[in-house]
Structure formats: C-alpha cells, structure tokens
Amino acid sequence: MAMKDYSDEFKADAVALYESTPAATYKSIAADLGINRATLREWVLRDRERRGVTAAATTPAARPIGAVPSADPDERVRQLEARVAELEASERKLATERDILRKAAKYFRRDELVRSRFQFVDDHRNTYEVKRLCQVLDVNRSSYYKWLSGAEARAARQQKDHILAEEIRQVHGESAGAYGSPRVTAELREKGRRVNEKRVARVMRRFSITGIRLRRRVRTTIPDPATSPVSDLFQRDFTATEPGLKYMGDITYLPLQGGEFLYLATVLDCFSRKVVGWSIAGHMRTDLVADALRMAARTRDSLHGAVFHSDHGAQYASRAYADLCTELGVTRSMGAVGTSADNAACESFHASLKRETLQGAHDFGDASTCRRTVFAWLTRYNTRRRHSANGHLSPNAYEARHHTAKLTLAA
C-alpha cells in the first residue's frame, strides 16, 4: 500500500534523486519510488520554481561532435603527433594485456586446458601431423577426434550460452550488480525464459558475472543499563502471517569521506520484509529511531496492535521511545543483550544495503550523495528488488499477491 502522507524529507529526496540521475525519466524514477509519475513531476516542478530554475536551464547542452582540424600547418603537425602518441600508448596497453593473458593460461582449470589443447591441434593440423601434435601436447588422439565430431553441437551450446549471458548481464545490470544466480533466475523466468538455476550459475561463472562481497560492519548498539527490561516476543521468529502484525528495526552507520558518518534507522515488516519506515541523520539520538517509526505509522495508516522488535540500543530503550510506542499502540520486544542473532533479519538487511550501494567502496562520498544513494536503494528495494524470503518477489509484489488471495477467498 502506498504512503498517503509523504514527508517533506521524502519529497526532497525524491526530487534530488531525479535531478541527479543521468537520463532520468519521471516514469522510471516514479516506478522505483512506488509513486505516481504525475506526483513526482509536480514535486520536481515545484522545486525548480522555488529555486528559479527554468526547463531550458535543466536541458544539457549539446556536446561537440569532434574537434575541427586547424588551418595552421604547425598546429596540425602538433595534433598529429599527439594522436600518434595516443595510439602508441594504446598499443603498449594492448601488448601488456596480451602478455598477461599468455602468462595466465597456466592457471586455467584442467578441463579448459584440455579443450585448449584440442583447439591447438585443430588449428595446426595442416602444418603438422595430428599424431605428432597429440604426442607433444600429451592428449589422446581418439579423444581429439571425438571432440572434433562434436564441434557443431558445441558451437550451438556456446552460442546459446552467449545469448543467455547477455540476458543475465541485463538483469544483473538492472539490479546494480546485486543479484546472484537465484534472483537472476527468478527474473528471467518472470520474463518468460525457461532456464535452470544451475545453468545460470555456470554461465555467470564462465562470463565472470559476480555479485558484491560483504564488508566488515561497525557495531552501533549502545546498551543502556538503567532501562527497565523488555521481553523478547520474537524468539528469533522473524516471520508473520499477515502484513502489519510484526515489525523489526535497527540502526546502521553510513560511512562518509573524511571519516565522518550518517546513521540510518529502519522499520521492516516481518511478513514481506518491506521497509515501511526509515530515517537518516548525522546523530544517533532517540529522534532518529522515532522518526523512522512515525514514517512506518504513516505508511501503514496505523501501527495499533503491532509488535516492534529491536536490540537493546539506548535509543530503543529510552523513555521517549517507549512513550511513542504507547502513543502509537505498539508493543515493544527486545532480544538478548550482545546477541546479533536475536535481530538477524535486520542485520542481514543492512548488510545487503551497504554491499549493494557501496559495491566495494570505503565510503559514500559526501552526505548529499549518501542520502540520495540510500534513498534510491530503499525505495527500489520495496518496488523492484526480489527477496528470497518472498519466493523472489519484491516486498510490494508479495503483499499485493497476498491481498489478492484474501479477496479471492472472501469472494
């Protein structure tokens, strides 16, 4: 269900995302955010009007097609010399790459090395006897002829693998390099492609299409020993039978250049893993988690009767946060002190966020870039990113299917 009351912060982040995305369209950005195209357009136009920016000013200037040759002979000679130097540098680079590839050949897997030997025999059989070639390369002559007889079928398989690899690259690129073979397979199947996950994994390995590895995390939980105890109502059960029954939340750090940080607080629905609330700030005060919970209340219209689970961080254990939960009709739940497994689903969510947004980088850059990047990922996570816990459906699609099934049963 879409949020009915968008905060000013959400609107500003949506406009910043649109303005900072090259070749952006209202339709594509609105789809990622899960809002109406006309709504996004209205926000953007209002912001431009406020800043006094005209439509013409936002249109990128045409790029020059190419440099015009100079009429001065000396200048033309200098241009040609610069071009020759550029080509020589390119040739040196290509030569270095060829040398690296030759030296790397000995690191091929054994089955690939055998196929390379067969190919060498076939390429040079008009120069040398096949028998002699096989003896020198230590391959069986009958195996070579068997390999040769299967050339047509092998070429057909390789062609199919190349076609599949291009389809995988497209899906992989649309996910910003985040999807592994399970989610890629689910995406291909939804597009009508009948394919086995093992084959997808094999083709991804062969064509070096890989995901992003996790980085070490920094602990942000600061327990408050003066707070009253709160029971663990989850007992590590992060599932729910309906949307809106069980929520979980946590705080994670967002590294910036220069050793500084922003902090992100999130609220996830246990049923679909949908991010129903979040807040980004340069502090870790109670306001950070309170703002995320208030956004969740706006997204769901109400949190009355729901259970919210967190760790024992001082923000979640504060009196102000307890009063907010009481005001919203939320029952609090907390895991054991110092045990990340009691909030494992949130830990995993934040790890995925940083893995897929940082993509191996040490920081997000400046605060504005960080906010736009995380905002774009969070909204796209709900609308498009496939989740393994949802049968590889996005959180929004999973909830929509659930509501449709309920209406069908009621009818």
Side-chain angles (χ1 to χ4, degrees):
M1 181 180 295
M3 194 192 318
K4 294 181 180 179
D5 181 18
Y6 297 97
S7 65
D8 292 339
E9 181 182 10
F10 185 96
K11 295 177 183 178
D13 287 339
V15 171
L17 176 63
Y18 173 81
E19 297 284 20
S20 63
T21 303
T25 63
Y26 291 118
K27 181 178 180 181
S28 63
I29 298 298
D32 281 347
L33 301 181
I35 62 178
N36 186 275
R37 172 187 175 279
T39 300
L40 175 62
R41 182 176 182 274
E42 181 182 354
W43 293 348
V44 172
L45 294 180
R46 282 183 182 176
D47 182 74
R48 289 178 179 174
E49 182 180 356
R50 178 182 60 80
R51 293 185 288 118
V53 178
T54 62
T58 62
T59 303
R63 297 180 181 177
I65 297 175
V68 179
S70 173
D72 183 10
D74 292 336
E75 179 62 25
R76 293 194 63 182
V77 169
R78 284 193 291 271
Q79 290 177 351
L80 290 172
E81 288 175 345
R83 180 58 177 162
V84 170
E86 181 182 348
L87 292 174
E88 288 176 345
S90 177
E91 176 61 26
R92 287 195 299 271
K93 180 181 178 182
L94 291 174
T96 301
E97 291 176 352
R98 287 196 296 269
D99 290 338
I100 292 174
L101 289 173
R102 291 193 189 101
K103 294 176 182 179
K106 62 182 179 181
Y107 296 102
F108 288 167
R109 295 199 306 269
R110 180 172 178 79
D111 59 338
E112 292 181 344
L113 184 57
V114 169
R115 288 198 293 270
S116 298
R117 292 174 182 177
F118 288 158
Q119 189 63 56
F120 184 87
V121 172
D122 195 51
D123 291 341
H124 295 82
R125 62 179 180 174
N126 293 329
T127 306
Y128 307 98
E129 292 183 352
V130 171
K131 178 180 179 180
R132 182 60 179 161
L133 286 168
C134 290
Q135 288 174 343
V136 172
L137 295 176
D138 192 25
V139 295
N140 190 292
R141 194 167 18 152
S142 62
S143 298
Y144 160 70
Y145 284 117
K146 183 178 180 180
W147 174 87
L148 190 62
S149 65
E152 185 176 344
R154 187 167 55 255
R157 287 196 300 271
Q158 291 176 351
Q159 178 64 22
K160 291 180 180 178
D161 282 352
H162 277 85
I163 294 173
L164 179 59
E166 289 304 313
E167 296 175 2
I168 291 173
R169 283 196 182 97
Q170 181 179 354
V171 172
H172 194 251
E174 290 172 353
S175 71
Y179 281 5
S181 58
R183 289 189 176 94
V184 169
T185 303
E187 188 76 26
L188 291 173
R189 286 175 177 170
E190 185 170 289
K191 293 181 178 181
R193 185 72 147 88
R194 297 182 61 184
V195 65
N196 185 280
E197 184 185 332
K198 291 183 178 179
R199 185 186 173 200
V200 171
R202 175 179 61 79
V203 172
M204 291 180 71
R205 284 195 303 269
R206 179 185 172 190
F207 291 90
S208 301
I209 306 173
T210 58
I212 309 159
R213 296 185 180 275
L214 285 170
R215 299 173 64 243
R216 292 179 65 86
R217 66 180 182 87
V218 173
R219 186 184 179 198
T220 55
T221 302
I222 305 172
D224 184 354
T227 58
S228 57
V230 176
S231 301
D232 183 356
L233 304 179
F234 271 36
Q235 297 296 319
R236 301 187 183 180
D237 178 10
F238 304 108
T239 63
T241 57
E242 292 279 341
L245 297 180
K246 296 168 63 178
Y247 296 96
M248 51 189 170
D250 199 2
I251 301 173
T252 192
Y253 78 105
L254 304 172
L256 305 178
Q257 60 188 9
E260 298 182 351
F261 297 93
L262 288 180
Y263 299 94
L264 168 69
T266 52
V267 179
L268 278 69
D269 192 305
C270 292
F271 174 76
S272 62
R273 299 297 198 272
K274 178 173 181 175
V275 193
V276 294
W278 70 80
S279 179
I280 301 175
H283 61 79
M284 291 178 61
R285 297 191 295 271
T286 302
D287 288 345
L288 178 69
V289 295
D291 287 344
L293 192 66
R294 291 190 183 98
M295 178 179 175
R298 293 195 303 270
T299 302
R300 291 302 199 193
D301 289 334
S302 173
L303 299 180
H304 187 77
V307 177
F308 176 80
H309 183 81
S310 68
D311 57 26
H312 278 262
Q315 302 85 356
Y316 294 111
S318 67
R319 170 50 54 191
Y321 192 75
D323 290 344
L324 176 62
C325 288
T326 301
E327 176 187 336
L328 297 176
V330 174
T331 301
R332 291 190 297 158
S333 169
M334 288 186 177
V337 177
T339 304
S340 61
D342 285 352
N343 205 18
C346 273
E347 298 274 355
S348 176
F349 170 80
H350 287 153
S352 296
L353 183 153
K354 283 190 273 192
R355 181 180 67 247
E356 296 177 14
T357 52
L358 285 172
Q359 300 191 4
H362 295 290
D363 58 67
F364 288 95
D366 57 43
S368 297
T369 301
C370 175
R371 180 180 288 275
R372 285 197 307 269
T373 302
V374 174
F375 174 77
W377 189 90
L378 289 171
T379 51
R380 191 179 191 279
Y381 172 91
N382 283 340
T383 59
R384 297 193 178 187
R385 187 184 182 277
R386 296 180 181 276
H387 202 299
S388 56
N390 297 341
H392 293 300
L393 293 176
S394 69
N396 281 2
Y398 189 67
E399 290 193 2
R401 188 178 72 173
H402 174 75
H403 290 310
T404 301
K406 285 186 63 176
L407 290 174
T408 302
L409 290 175

